[in-house]
PDB file of all heavy atoms in Angstrom:
ATOM      1  N   ILE A 695     -22.257  -1.946   5.495  1.00 98.00           N
ATOM      2  CA  ILE A 695     -23.427  -1.066   5.348  1.00 98.00           C
ATOM      3  C   ILE A 695     -24.545  -1.569   6.258  1.00 98.00           C
ATOM      4  O   ILE A 695     -25.139  -0.804   7.034  1.00 98.00           O
ATOM      5  CB  ILE A 695     -23.878  -1.019   3.872  1.00 98.00           C
ATOM      6  CG1 ILE A 695     -22.841  -0.295   3.000  1.00 98.00           C
ATOM      7  CG2 ILE A 695     -25.250  -0.335   3.751  1.00 98.00           C
ATOM      8  CD1 ILE A 695     -23.080  -0.421   1.499  1.00 98.00           C
ATOM      9  N   ILE A 707     -23.684  12.991 -11.229  1.00 98.00           N
ATOM     10  CA  ILE A 707     -23.241  14.353 -11.558  1.00 98.00           C
ATOM     11  C   ILE A 707     -24.211  15.015 -12.536  1.00 98.00           C
ATOM     12  O   ILE A 707     -24.464  16.223 -12.476  1.00 98.00           O
ATOM     13  CB  ILE A 707     -21.810  14.296 -12.151  1.00 98.00           C
ATOM     14  CG1 ILE A 707     -20.819  13.755 -11.108  1.00 98.00           C
ATOM     15  CG2 ILE A 707     -21.345  15.648 -12.664  1.00 98.00           C
ATOM     16  CD1 ILE A 707     -19.480  13.332 -11.676  1.00 98.00           C
ATOM     17  N   LYS A 714     -31.297  21.577 -21.307  1.00 91.00           N
ATOM     18  CA  LYS A 714     -32.232  20.504 -21.726  1.00 91.00           C
ATOM     19  C   LYS A 714     -31.469  19.166 -21.732  1.00 91.00           C
ATOM     20  O   LYS A 714     -31.953  18.154 -21.243  1.00 91.00           O
ATOM     21  CB  LYS A 714     -32.768  20.840 -23.124  1.00 91.00           C
ATOM     22  CG  LYS A 714     -33.921  19.942 -23.617  1.00 91.00           C
ATOM     23  CD  LYS A 714     -34.853  20.633 -24.649  1.00 91.00           C
ATOM     24  CE  LYS A 714     -34.199  21.173 -25.934  1.00 91.00           C
ATOM     25  NZ  LYS A 714     -33.431  20.101 -26.673  1.00 91.00           N
ATOM     26  N   LEU A 747     -22.342  15.702   4.022  1.00 97.00           N
ATOM     27  CA  LEU A 747     -21.218  15.229   4.865  1.00 97.00           C
ATOM     28  C   LEU A 747     -20.309  16.393   5.218  1.00 97.00           C
ATOM     29  O   LEU A 747     -19.181  16.512   4.702  1.00 97.00           O
ATOM     30  CB  LEU A 747     -20.411  14.166   4.113  1.00 97.00           C
ATOM     31  CG  LEU A 747     -21.024  12.797   3.846  1.00 97.00           C
ATOM     32  CD1 LEU A 747     -20.005  11.882   3.169  1.00 97.00           C
ATOM     33  CD2 LEU A 747     -21.509  12.167   5.140  1.00 97.00           C
ATOM     34  N   VAL A 761       0.000   8.047  -5.482  1.00 97.00           N
ATOM     35  CA  VAL A 761      -0.392   6.636  -5.676  1.00 97.00           C
ATOM     36  C   VAL A 761      -0.873   6.054  -4.349  1.00 97.00           C
ATOM     37  O   VAL A 761      -0.194   6.150  -3.334  1.00 97.00           O
ATOM     38  CB  VAL A 761       0.767   5.813  -6.268  1.00 97.00           C
ATOM     39  CG1 VAL A 761       0.381   4.341  -6.356  1.00 97.00           C
ATOM     40  CG2 VAL A 761       1.122   6.340  -7.661  1.00 97.00           C
ATOM     41  N   THR A 766      -2.017   5.035   2.864  1.00 97.00           N
ATOM     42  CA  THR A 766      -3.062   6.017   2.514  1.00 97.00           C
ATOM     43  C   THR A 766      -4.410   5.521   3.021  1.00 97.00           C
ATOM     44  O   THR A 766      -5.228   6.293   3.535  1.00 97.00           O
ATOM     45  CB  THR A 766      -3.173   6.193   0.975  1.00 97.00           C
ATOM     46  OG1 THR A 766      -1.898   6.048   0.380  1.00 97.00           O
ATOM     47  CG2 THR A 766      -3.759   7.538   0.622  1.00 97.00           C
ATOM     48  N   GLU A 769      -4.646   6.226   6.572  1.00 97.00           N
ATOM     49  CA  GLU A 769      -4.820   7.678   6.757  1.00 97.00           C
ATOM     50  C   GLU A 769      -6.282   8.057   6.517  1.00 97.00           C
ATOM     51  O   GLU A 769      -6.910   8.739   7.328  1.00 97.00           O
ATOM     52  CB  GLU A 769      -3.905   8.399   5.765  1.00 97.00           C
ATOM     53  CG  GLU A 769      -3.951   9.910   5.747  1.00 97.00           C
ATOM     54  CD  GLU A 769      -3.258  10.449   4.474  1.00 97.00           C
ATOM     55  OE1 GLU A 769      -2.289   9.787   3.982  1.00 97.00           O
ATOM     56  OE2 GLU A 769      -3.731  11.480   3.938  1.00 97.00           O
ATOM     57  N   GLY A 781     -13.697  10.919 -12.403  1.00 96.00           N
ATOM     58  CA  GLY A 781     -13.590  11.594 -13.700  1.00 96.00           C
ATOM     59  C   GLY A 781     -13.952  10.611 -14.817  1.00 96.00           C
ATOM     60  O   GLY A 781     -13.976   9.398 -14.613  1.00 96.00           O
ATOM     61  N   GLY A 785     -10.695  13.852 -18.490  1.00 93.00           N
ATOM     62  CA  GLY A 785     -10.451  14.372 -17.135  1.00 93.00           C
ATOM     63  C   GLY A 785     -11.398  15.508 -16.822  1.00 93.00           C
ATOM     64  O   GLY A 785     -12.382  15.723 -17.548  1.00 93.00           O
ATOM     65  N   GLU A 788      -9.597  21.933 -14.816  1.00 97.00           N
ATOM     66  CA  GLU A 788      -8.558  22.172 -13.804  1.00 97.00           C
ATOM     67  C   GLU A 788      -9.038  23.050 -12.654  1.00 97.00           C
ATOM     68  O   GLU A 788      -8.571  22.925 -11.514  1.00 97.00           O
ATOM     69  CB  GLU A 788      -7.329  22.815 -14.469  1.00 97.00           C
ATOM     70  CG  GLU A 788      -6.133  22.996 -13.573  1.00 97.00           C
ATOM     71  CD  GLU A 788      -5.588  21.681 -13.007  1.00 97.00           C
ATOM     72  OE1 GLU A 788      -5.928  20.621 -13.602  1.00 97.00           O
ATOM     73  OE2 GLU A 788      -4.898  21.701 -11.977  1.00 97.00           O
ATOM     74  N   VAL A 820     -10.360   0.970   2.575  1.00 97.00           N
ATOM     75  CA  VAL A 820     -10.590   1.732   3.808  1.00 97.00           C
ATOM     76  C   VAL A 820     -11.619   1.015   4.694  1.00 97.00           C
ATOM     77  O   VAL A 820     -11.419   0.866   5.902  1.00 97.00           O
ATOM     78  CB  VAL A 820     -11.060   3.167   3.480  1.00 97.00           C
ATOM     79  CG1 VAL A 820     -11.508   3.899   4.743  1.00 97.00           C
ATOM     80  CG2 VAL A 820      -9.943   3.943   2.776  1.00 97.00           C
ATOM     81  N   ARG A 888       9.390  -8.350  -3.357  1.00 94.00           N
ATOM     82  CA  ARG A 888       9.315  -6.899  -3.148  1.00 94.00           C
ATOM     83  C   ARG A 888      10.467  -6.429  -2.275  1.00 94.00           C
ATOM     84  O   ARG A 888      10.280  -5.908  -1.163  1.00 94.00           O
ATOM     85  CB  ARG A 888       7.960  -6.541  -2.531  1.00 94.00           C
ATOM     86  CG  ARG A 888       6.766  -6.676  -3.449  1.00 94.00           C
ATOM     87  CD  ARG A 888       6.757  -5.648  -4.573  1.00 94.00           C
ATOM     88  NE  ARG A 888       6.935  -4.311  -4.087  1.00 94.00           N
ATOM     89  CZ  ARG A 888       5.942  -3.543  -3.588  1.00 94.00           C
ATOM     90  NH1 ARG A 888       4.709  -4.017  -3.510  1.00 94.00           N
ATOM     91  NH2 ARG A 888       6.180  -2.318  -3.173  1.00 94.00           N
ATOM     92  N   ILE A 904      16.877 -13.703  11.567  1.00 93.00           N
ATOM     93  CA  ILE A 904      16.537 -14.617  10.459  1.00 93.00           C
ATOM     94  C   ILE A 904      17.359 -14.266   9.217  1.00 93.00           C
ATOM     95  O   ILE A 904      17.983 -15.133   8.592  1.00 93.00           O
ATOM     96  CB  ILE A 904      15.029 -14.554  10.163  1.00 93.00           C
ATOM     97  CG1 ILE A 904      14.224 -15.156  11.310  1.00 93.00           C
ATOM     98  CG2 ILE A 904      14.705 -15.271   8.843  1.00 93.00           C
ATOM     99  CD1 ILE A 904      12.716 -14.928  11.234  1.00 93.00           C
ATOM    100  N   SER A 906      20.185 -12.712   9.102  1.00 95.00           N
ATOM    101  CA  SER A 906      21.623 -12.995   9.358  1.00 95.00           C
ATOM    102  C   SER A 906      21.885 -14.483   9.178  1.00 95.00           C
ATOM    103  O   SER A 906      22.891 -14.884   8.591  1.00 95.00           O
ATOM    104  CB  SER A 906      21.999 -12.557  10.775  1.00 95.00           C
ATOM    105  OG  SER A 906      21.407 -11.309  11.045  1.00 95.00           O
ATOM    106  N   LYS A 914      28.320 -19.983   3.901  1.00 92.00           N
ATOM    107  CA  LYS A 914      28.825 -21.375   3.985  1.00 92.00           C
ATOM    108  C   LYS A 914      28.835 -21.973   2.580  1.00 92.00           C
ATOM    109  O   LYS A 914      29.835 -22.544   2.126  1.00 92.00           O
ATOM    110  CB  LYS A 914      27.888 -22.175   4.908  1.00 92.00           C
ATOM    111  CG  LYS A 914      28.644 -22.874   6.070  1.00 92.00           C
ATOM    112  CD  LYS A 914      27.738 -23.759   6.945  1.00 92.00           C
ATOM    113  CE  LYS A 914      27.049 -22.894   8.040  1.00 92.00           C
ATOM    114  NZ  LYS A 914      25.587 -23.094   8.085  1.00 92.00           N
ATOM    115  N   ALA A 918      32.043 -23.115   0.516  1.00 90.00           N
ATOM    116  CA  ALA A 918      32.150 -24.529   0.081  1.00 90.00           C
ATOM    117  C   ALA A 918      32.596 -24.563  -1.372  1.00 90.00           C
ATOM    118  O   ALA A 918      33.360 -25.437  -1.786  1.00 90.00           O
ATOM    119  CB  ALA A 918      30.797 -25.210   0.248  1.00 90.00           C
ATOM    120  N   GLN A 919      32.148 -23.553  -2.178  1.00 87.00           N
ATOM    121  CA  GLN A 919      32.522 -23.539  -3.606  1.00 87.00           C
ATOM    122  C   GLN A 919      34.046 -23.496  -3.727  1.00 87.00           C
ATOM    123  O   GLN A 919      34.647 -24.273  -4.449  1.00 87.00           O
ATOM    124  CB  GLN A 919      31.920 -22.317  -4.302  1.00 87.00           C
ATOM    125  CG  GLN A 919      30.407 -22.276  -4.334  1.00 87.00           C
ATOM    126  CD  GLN A 919      29.831 -23.584  -4.812  1.00 87.00           C
ATOM    127  OE1 GLN A 919      30.266 -24.128  -5.839  1.00 87.00           O
ATOM    128  NE2 GLN A 919      28.901 -24.147  -4.037  1.00 87.00           N
ATOM    129  N   LEU A 927      32.605 -21.468 -12.319  1.00 60.00           N
ATOM    130  CA  LEU A 927      32.161 -22.475 -13.286  1.00 60.00           C
ATOM    131  C   LEU A 927      32.265 -21.930 -14.692  1.00 60.00           C
ATOM    132  O   LEU A 927      32.141 -20.718 -14.908  1.00 60.00           O
ATOM    133  CB  LEU A 927      30.687 -22.805 -12.984  1.00 60.00           C
ATOM    134  CG  LEU A 927      30.462 -23.652 -11.722  1.00 60.00           C
ATOM    135  CD1 LEU A 927      28.974 -23.791 -11.474  1.00 60.00           C
ATOM    136  CD2 LEU A 927      31.111 -25.023 -11.918  1.00 60.00           C
TER     137      LEU A 927
END
Side-chain angles (χ1 to χ4, degrees):
I695 292 169
I707 297 165
K714 189 154 57 56
L747 291 184
V761 175
T766 326
E769 178 194 329
E788 186 61 19
V820 171
R888 289 292 309 277
I904 292 170
S906 318
K914 234 184 275 129
Q919 297 311 311
L927 287 175

